[in-house]
Amino acid sequence: MQFLLKKFYQRKAIAKPTLLYYWWRHVANGARARRARSTPGVYADTSRIVGQLVQQGIAIGPSAQFLSAEGQKALAEAAKEVLDLSRSSSVKEAVAAGGSEDRKSYLVRLVSSDQEEHSSESPLVKLAVDEKLLEIVSRYLGLWPRLHSIGAWVNFPTKSEAIKSQLWHRDPEDVKLLKAFIYLVDVDENCGPFSYIPKSHPFSANALKVPKHKDERRITDEEMQQTFPPSSWLACTGPANTMILADTLGYHRGGKPTVGTRVLITFTYTSGAPFEDRDLRIKGSPAWIKSDIQRAALS
């Protein structure tokens, strides 16, 4: 059944629930769905944020809107660690050499999304499973989420044309998912902001619209504008500590800096039965965890 789900849904956004979708939510993720239904909301403004995610596929604003007080403290600690890494001589040398070793010549990974093990005391882990953030993700997915990956990187200008994730695409990890992006520096149009096409996510009006494109996975601006005019593209600019939540089954791209850099932290949240295996592991038992939804996110 999981093979059928992957074959049917991968890199697609569905317009309405199907039998396979109901199996994914209520059988493959039955326990997580039941826990989500039986868990009351704690934070007063999560309904507004979730409503925006349901309607648009994306929500953007100051990080304080999406995090509890504990989460904001963890963000301050994580931001310092990541920014210190971004200013290190090794990163500067990697930028000068043309990027990371994984052929993404426009970024340097400060924390790799496929890093297998993180300390249980890492502020990145504490931030990723902040209770308010998890409440928002849970209410959008309709089930208790699983933290799939943690990452951080710096994007920088290149002379080449936009490539790979700088082009429009949909992500393949699950039937529905949410990704969080937190800018650690001011990001304007010149810094290659994350861009998104609202209402192209699952269960939206434009979920089934697919532009004609030559590449199997990536779509150029010229191809995209034949179906979605540039006026419908949302460029997510903002000052440091701007936070974005997006269902990246909706069309999106990373953006291509022309001046300056973009430094960010990112998390991916999926169901407990995603299409792609999770490499993430947490070393040790986090003594600071307060709730079952946090434990479920790390399990």
Side-chain angles (χ1 to χ4, degrees):
M1 183 64 76
Q2 194 70 6
F3 172 79
L4 289 176
L5 277 166
K6 182 175 181 178
K7 187 78 173 177
F8 189 75
Y9 287 128
Q10 201 165 33
R11 298 192 185 93
K12 297 178 181 178
I14 55 177
K16 60 183 179 180
T18 65
L19 288 176
L20 282 175
Y21 166 78
Y22 285 122
W23 185 91
W24 169 82
R25 181 172 176 181
H26 298 294
V27 179
N29 292 288
R32 288 175 179 267
R34 288 191 293 273
R35 294 302 297 270
R37 289 195 299 270
S38 63
T39 304
V42 174
Y43 300 92
D45 58 343
T46 56
S47 293
R48 175 188 58 80
I49 297 169
V50 173
Q52 187 174 354
L53 287 168
V54 170
Q55 291 296 318
Q56 303 292 323
I58 187 169
I60 178 172
S63 58
Q65 291 184 7
F66 304 96
L67 300 171
S68 70
E70 290 85 355
Q72 292 175 59
K73 180 181 177 182
L75 172 57
E77 296 173 1
K80 183 180 185 306
E81 286 190 5
V82 172
L83 285 171
D84 285 347
L85 283 172
S86 74
R87 297 167 182 144
S88 68
S89 58
S90 60
V91 169
K92 291 178 181 178
E93 290 170 3
V95 169
S100 297
E101 296 178 355
D102 62 358
R103 300 180 183 177
K104 287 193 173 182
S105 57
Y106 49 86
L107 64 79
V108 173
R109 297 188 186 279
L110 306 172
V111 178
S112 178
S113 57
D114 59 4
Q115 178 177 327
E116 292 188 1
E117 192 168 77
H118 292 263
S119 166
S120 62
E121 297 305 311
S122 165
L124 283 167
V125 175
K126 294 179 180 180
L127 173 59
V129 296
D130 175 65
E131 288 184 293
K132 183 175 183 180
L133 179 55
L134 289 180
E135 181 175 307
I136 295 168
V137 177
S138 174
R139 293 181 66 178
Y140 173 73
L141 295 181
L143 48 86
W144 276 10
R146 193 180 195 207
L147 177 63
H148 190 77
S149 66
I150 295 172
W153 62 72
V154 52
N155 289 87
F156 53 88
T158 60
K159 295 180 180 179
S160 64
E161 296 295 320
I163 59 173
K164 298 182 183 292
S165 61
Q166 294 177 324
L167 299 172
W168 297 102
H169 60 285
R170 282 173 161 160
D171 287 337
E173 290 95 339
D174 213 338
V175 175
K176 288 180 73 177
L177 64 142
L178 272 182
K179 290 194 175 182
F181 303 92
I182 307 175
Y183 294 157
L184 303 186
V185 296
D186 296 349
V187 174
D188 60 20
E189 290 281 359
N190 296 319
C191 297
F194 175 83
S195 295
Y196 192 84
I197 299 182
K199 300 183 179 180
S200 62
H201 63 297
F203 307 127
S204 68
N206 298 319
L208 298 183
K209 287 187 177 181
V210 180
K212 291 182 180 179
H213 55 286
K214 294 180 180 179
D215 187 272
E216 180 183 358
R217 297 183 59 183
R218 311 295 184 182
I219 302 171
T220 66
D221 284 359
E222 293 73 20
E223 291 168 333
M224 183 60 77
Q225 67 185 5
Q226 300 304 312
T227 302
F228 294 97
S231 59
S232 68
W233 305 353
L234 175 63
C236 299
T237 58
N241 288 330
T242 293
M243 188 165 179
I244 304 159
L245 289 182
D247 186 331
T248 52
L249 263 293
Y251 286 117
H252 65 285
R253 63 178 181 186
K256 187 179 187 305
T258 56
V259 178
T261 59
R262 182 175 63 131
V263 185
L264 60 82
I265 292 169
T266 181
F267 307 120
T268 300
Y269 302 92
T270 66
S271 73
F275 297 147
E276 298 187 350
D277 292 336
R278 183 180 76 168
D279 295 323
L280 179 70
R281 299 290 184 274
I282 306 301
K283 182 180 180 180
S285 179
W288 45 265
I289 281 184
K290 296 181 178 180
S291 63
D292 289 340
I293 192 173
Q294 291 177 306
R295 294 185 185 89
L298 296 177
S299 66

